[in-house]
Amino acid sequence: MLNLIDSPPNDPLELAEQCLALATAVIKINEASVKESLQFILHEKMEALFQALYHTEGSV
């Protein structure tokens, strides 16, 4: 069966790239419902990025 939900990436660089792509989409999209959905996803990705950076920094 096709798994449409990927596991969250652990690589901070990949998360940062996803955040930039989502932020760009939020800025350019005018439809309110789509913008709200993207903002929610962006918030989740940013939390994951901060956790990945904190975890990486704490293990050094």
Side-chain angles (χ1 to χ4, degrees):
M1 184 171 168
L2 180 63
N3 184 5
L4 298 177
I5 301 174
D6 293 333
S7 60
N10 295 328
D11 180 27
L13 180 58
E14 184 178 346
L15 283 167
E17 290 172 349
Q18 291 176 2
C19 287
L20 286 172
L22 284 164
T24 300
V26 166
I27 290 169
K28 293 187 176 198
I29 290 177
N30 293 323
E31 189 172 333
S33 62
V34 175
K35 186 177 282 242
E36 184 178 356
S37 296
L38 290 175
Q39 287 171 333
F40 179 77
I41 296 167
L42 175 59
H43 184 264
E44 289 185 333
K45 293 288 183 180
M46 289 178 68
E47 283 184 345
L49 175 59
F50 284 118
Q51 288 178 359
L53 290 173
Y54 178 75
H55 179 69
T56 301
E57 183 178 291
S59 63
V60 172

